Amino acid sequence: METSNFTLFDPRCRAEAPFSIDVIMQLDIFGIVLFSVLTLMATVSMLVFIEECIYIYKKVPPNKKSVIIWVTGAAPVIATMSCLGMWVPRATMFTDMTSATYFAIVVFKFLILMIEEVGGDNAFLRRSENKSFKINTGPCCCCCPCLPNVPITRRSLFMLKLGSYQFALLKLVLTILSIVLWSNGNFRVADVSANGASIWINSFIGVLTIIALWPVAIMFMHVREALLTLKMVPKYAMYQLVLILSQLQTAIINILAMNGTIACAPPYTSQFRGNLMSQQLLIVEMFIITLVTRVLYRRQYDPIPDLDDSVEETKTVLTSKRAVDIA
């Protein structure tokens, strides 16, 4: 109780985040080692990503280069932004917005990646002829098994793309709007009152996020069997893990900090300690995900065979086997 009262009423706990020089001057031996190791992890993550970009540029077909670079860059970019926010606490709002905006684009790019792995729009529509999308899946309609399947057409494919693209576009627009409002004193991340802009913008972004994740889940459920040889299931798992850690984990820690559950330790405010905890966790987590992602994407994929080709190949093998048996 004493810690809670101290956190709520000590004026130093309501101050702004410290400057970088204040953070550096407060570091002890353990803090110096910790910050150095985390900075090294973030740097290695970015170097691995740069090396992966060079490999993708040289080895991967042109139609997949851009989307794979965008998707594999999610973890390194978040790790780098977290490292910058760790060293420059007053820039945390901008680093968090940069990470969130980048990941909004990754959501759309991952949907495009699954389509390109099948062979593109035309190949996907040809392979999925007379089939349908199962839309009673998460995060929107996993509890609605009565929903009918939607036939796969060029229009329904376009609607899936639009559902994810709106998040990438509107997230960028809302980020710019937030910065403009912040410069005018109308936007504060910690202001969760109904009169503040932050609660309304973040709530709207939450709705957009759920809408954008739905088409990706629908597409994954449809193509996962066809793309098993391309390790699409673990790739999707890494994409989901980045989403959970960068969005949900960070949101939970921020809520605990704003409620005073994470006590302040002057000159460090509760909000700063919450941000610092989130950033340090993200650097370690994204470092591991970067290494795993490199293993998953570190190969040049051949186009998956068309269904008709697979049938013909199977017939040829069976015919040859019978001829051998007769001989």
Side-chain angles (χ1 to χ4, degrees):
M1 180 64 69
E2 293 181 0
T3 302
S4 177
N5 291 335
F6 178 77
T7 300
L8 293 174
F9 298 111
D10 192 305
R12 292 174 296 176
C13 292
R14 301 181 182 180
E16 294 183 357
F19 289 101
S20 299
I21 188 64
D22 297 327
V23 175
I24 296 173
M25 296 301 295
Q26 291 288 332
L27 291 178
D28 53 11
I29 298 299
F30 175 78
I32 294 174
V33 173
L34 178 62
F35 272 51
S36 300
V37 171
L38 293 174
T39 303
L40 178 62
M41 284 184 173
T43 304
V44 171
S45 297
M46 186 53 64
L47 291 177
V48 169
F49 172 60
I50 293 173
E51 188 270 340
E52 186 69 12
C53 289
I54 297 173
Y55 174 83
I56 292 171
Y57 181 78
K58 293 180 178 180
K59 303 293 184 180
V60 175
N63 62 319
K64 301 178 185 177
K65 286 181 180 179
S66 174
V67 289
I68 293 180
I69 288 175
W70 273 100
V71 172
T72 56
V77 168
I78 293 174
T80 303
M81 290 298 102
S82 298
C83 184
L84 290 176
M86 181 180 69
W87 284 105
V88 188
R90 295 203 172 198
T92 295
M93 185 185 78
F94 301 102
T95 57
D96 288 350
M97 286 181 175
T98 302
S99 298
T101 303
Y102 185 94
F103 189 76
I105 300 173
V106 169
V107 172
F108 172 68
K109 291 295 183 179
F110 194 85
L111 174 66
I112 300 301
L113 174 63
M114 289 188 287
I115 298 174
E116 290 298 334
E117 291 287 23
V118 177
D121 289 1
N122 294 330
F124 174 79
L125 292 172
R126 186 175 65 254
R127 291 176 61 89
S128 303
E129 190 176 3
N130 300 323
K131 295 183 180 179
S132 58
F133 286 123
K134 183 180 179 182
I135 64 173
N136 57 337
T137 183
C140 288
C141 301
C142 54
C143 300
C144 303
C146 58
L147 288 177
N149 292 346
V150 177
I152 297 178
T153 61
R154 194 171 295 274
R155 178 181 175 82
S156 62
L157 180 61
F158 172 76
M159 293 303 295
L160 288 186
K161 290 182 179 180
L162 183 63
S164 291
Y165 180 75
Q166 55 82 23
F167 182 43
L169 177 62
L170 294 179
K171 174 60 181 174
L172 177 61
V173 172
L174 291 174
T175 297
I176 296 174
L177 175 63
S178 299
I179 294 175
V180 172
L181 293 176
W182 172 82
S183 65
N184 197 48
N186 302 116
F187 182 91
R188 288 178 58 250
V189 176
D191 184 9
V192 293
S193 64
N195 295 326
S198 176
I199 185 67
W200 297 106
I201 291 178
N202 289 334
S203 299
F204 187 49
I205 290 176
V207 174
L208 295 179
T209 304
I210 294 174
I211 295 174
L213 295 177
W214 191 26
V216 180
I218 292 173
M219 180 61 67
F220 172 73
M221 296 298 292
H222 182 75
V223 303
R224 61 178 179 176
E225 296 295 335
L227 301 180
L228 278 178
T229 58
L230 304 185
K231 300 181 180 179
M232 186 52 65
V233 174
K235 289 177 183 177
Y236 184 76
M238 289 299 103
Y239 150 82
Q240 290 278 52
L241 191 58
V242 172
L243 168 69
I244 293 171
L245 295 176
S246 64
Q247 305 298 319
L248 186 59
Q249 173 184 271
T250 301
I252 292 174
I253 294 177
N254 286 339
I255 291 173
L256 294 176
M258 286 188 291
N259 289 339
T261 304
I262 299 177
C264 88
Y268 301 142
T269 65
S270 297
Q271 190 68 40
F272 168 72
R273 292 190 68 200
N275 290 336
L276 185 62
M277 183 184 302
S278 175
Q279 290 156 354
Q280 292 174 345
L281 286 172
L282 281 175
I283 292 174
V284 177
E285 293 159 351
M286 295 303 127
F287 173 73
I288 297 173
I289 292 176
T290 299
L291 300 181
V292 175
T293 301
R294 182 183 182 277
V295 174
L296 294 176
Y297 288 90
R298 188 68 176 188
R299 52 179 292 197
Q300 184 174 3
Y301 302 119
D302 297 324
I304 63 175
D306 193 75
L307 291 178
D308 297 335
D309 296 339
S310 300
V311 172
E312 292 298 328
E313 183 179 351
T314 303
K315 290 180 179 179
T316 303
V317 172
L318 291 175
T319 303
S320 301
K321 185 176 179 181
R322 288 173 183 171
V324 172
D325 293 339
I326 294 173

